[in-house]
Amino acid sequence: MSTAPAFTPRVFSGIQPSGGLTLGNYLGALKRFVEKQEQGVETIYCLVDLHAITVWQDPSKLRHSTREAAAAFLAAGIDPARSILFNQSQVPAHAELAWIFNCVARMGWLSRMTQFKDKAGKNRENAAVGLFVYPNLMAADILAYHATHVPVGEDQKQHLELTRDIAIKFNHDYGVEFFPVVEPVIEGVATRVMSLRDGTKKMSKSDPSDMSRINLTDDADTIAQKIRKAKTDPEPLPDEVSGLESRPEARNLVNIYAALEDTTPTAVLRAFGGHGFGSFKPQLADLAVTKLAPISAEMTRLMADPAEIDRILGDGAARADAIARPILERCFDIVGMVRSRPV
Ligand code: AQP
């Protein structure tokens, strides 16, 4: 089912400030958030701090990471005059709607979420309840704005399917067409940037090895060193994309190059097919430094004035609240809550 025509296109997405943002977050999410903004669609972007605490966060580090992630959004090209940028905890509708969705989503649906299984690991009994119901909060983030399109990396596909299921069940149970059935927007060659140490694992900000990822705050030497040391195989690059099958590390580096250069893996292999990694890696490092150094420099500049970052986030939160609050109140009416307080 596609989104009901009654819903005007509105883009929503978020990133957890659970550490410094990585090249994966940049290519899979941030860069694409900017593209959506440039297309002139209404865009709402959120630093999902309530999601971040589903695993332990040191409070002062969380504050720092939230401001630093905001700086990354701004440095990557998010314009707070054209997009709404805010942190989730400042708009209460997210948590309130999440409770309603806790009562809509089924235990069986959540039990199938692979991210919970991955993050809880063997120690399931000891995982926070919040980690289990994380996808319901994510559905609330999106549906509190009646967002229709959600740009994300590949790893979030299952959560978006759950968001669709929640909207469909809510609409069905209450006999309404209230929540849109969202469209995941998983596009481009970098929907799943892999670890530099293991091409079968996603690049992640919480990976214990810093060498597995490029952080948006890394300086030029660190970026070059991480790419130089990235795991590869002894074969030269193939001439065609089909030659990358069963070579996950080689494929990852080619995809990163293509995404940074805004081209295709085919075009990258046209230029580098037959080259060994000894010649490809330095060129990839140069490209990564050229693209990322200006972002990192701008982040440093922005972080020197945290009060200005807080002002931008606060302004965004007020604008977000003005959209979400009336939607939440209509949702309460549908569910049958008595509005006992005078407006
Ligand atoms: N490696 C990746 N490749 C492409 N896209 C990615 N995203 C994350 N990693 C990659 C996309 O970035 C957005 C924000 O993700 P998130 O930080 O909220 O959560 P995550 O997906 O769990 O990312 P991490 O880095 O792995 O965080 P931790 O380590 O804290 O769990 C999403 O759109 C995601 O798809």
Side-chain angles (χ1 to χ4, degrees):
M1 182 180 155
S2 64
T3 51
F7 298 104
T8 27
R10 181 178 278 159
V11 168
F12 177 95
S13 200
I15 293 190
Q16 295 185 74
S18 44
L21 301 197
T22 69
L23 180 67
N25 295 130
Y26 175 65
L27 294 176
L30 264 187
K31 191 165 182 286
R32 312 231 332 285
F33 296 172
V34 177
E35 286 162 12
K36 291 285 164 222
Q37 171 187 276
E38 298 310 317
Q39 287 164 11
V41 199
E42 187 180 3
T43 40
I44 304 176
Y45 297 125
C46 184
L47 306 166
V48 288
D49 46 11
L50 296 175
H51 281 279
I53 60 164
T54 54
V55 296
W56 168 250
Q57 303 293 332
D58 174 84
S60 66
K61 283 194 190 142
L62 178 62
R63 269 188 285 276
H64 175 83
S65 299
T66 303
R67 292 186 178 117
E68 191 180 76
F73 273 72
L74 299 168
I78 293 300
D79 172 1
R82 286 185 290 155
S83 293
I84 294 179
L85 176 65
F86 68 106
N87 57 316
Q88 186 187 28
S89 58
Q90 302 308 294
V91 179
H94 292 246
E96 292 175 70
L97 187 56
W99 180 257
I100 305 256
F101 290 166
N102 283 345
C103 304
V104 173
R106 307 288 94 183
M107 291 289 287
W109 299 358
L110 291 166
S111 304
R112 287 191 282 277
M113 296 295 113
T114 54
Q115 195 178 76
F116 173 75
K117 290 182 199 162
D118 292 347
K119 288 201 172 174
K122 291 196 178 71
N123 204 6
R124 257 177 177 222
E125 293 296 309
N126 209 25
V129 175
L131 190 64
F132 186 68
V133 292
Y134 175 117
N136 295 345
L137 178 58
M138 180 165 159
D141 299 336
I142 296 163
L143 296 176
Y145 300 92
H146 277 184
T148 53
H149 294 79
V150 186
V152 284
E154 178 71 35
D155 60 314
Q156 293 299 329
K157 190 164 179 246
Q158 198 186 29
H159 289 164
L160 285 185
E161 279 159 8
L162 190 111
T163 300
R164 291 166 65 92
D165 289 343
I166 287 175
I168 291 167
K169 181 163 166 53
F170 182 96
N171 290 345
H172 174 267
D173 288 355
Y174 291 101
V176 289
E177 275 301 316
F178 185 64
F179 286 119
V181 180
V182 294
E183 293 294 339
V185 184
I186 302 172
E187 291 167 346
V189 285
T191 56
R192 195 169 175 83
V193 176
M194 308 310 276
S195 157
L196 298 178
R197 309 303 297 160
D198 177 352
T200 63
K201 256 176 68 185
K202 190 185 77 151
M203 183 181 286
S204 175
K205 53 176 117 67
S206 59
D207 191 300
S209 163
D210 193 57
M211 292 302 282
S212 70
R213 62 179 162 263
I214 292 173
N215 305 300
L216 292 186
T217 48
D218 283 345
D219 61 24
D221 287 347
T222 309
I223 294 173
Q225 194 204 24
K226 285 179 175 176
I227 292 177
R228 202 169 52 243
K229 295 209 164 161
K231 185 177 168 202
T232 43
D233 56 43
E235 302 296 319
L237 283 170
D239 295 322
E240 294 189 5
V241 174
S242 56
L244 293 172
E245 266 167 43
S246 69
R247 295 181 64 187
E249 284 84 15
R251 186 174 54 215
N252 189 35
L253 296 187
V254 168
N255 284 350
I256 291 174
Y257 193 105
L260 285 168
E261 187 72 322
D262 283 317
T263 184
T264 61
T266 304
V268 175
L269 292 179
R270 213 175 292 132
F272 291 102
H275 288 234
F277 286 101
S279 83
F280 179 65
K281 280 180 169 179
Q283 306 225 38
L284 174 59
D286 284 351
L287 176 64
V289 168
T290 306
K291 298 286 179 178
L292 301 180
I295 295 176
S296 156
E298 180 62 2
M299 283 173 69
T300 306
R301 192 189 71 76
L302 290 163
M303 284 299 280
D305 189 358
E308 175 59 9
I309 293 181
D310 291 3
R311 190 198 63 74
I312 291 170
L313 292 177
D315 175 66
R319 286 152 63 205
D321 192 65
I323 299 171
R325 181 53 47 187
I327 291 175
L328 181 74
E329 283 175 2
R330 278 159 63 204
C331 177
F332 281 163
D333 288 343
I334 291 167
V335 170
M337 307 291 173
V338 173
R339 287 216 213 178
S340 51
R341 291 174 66 192
V343 185

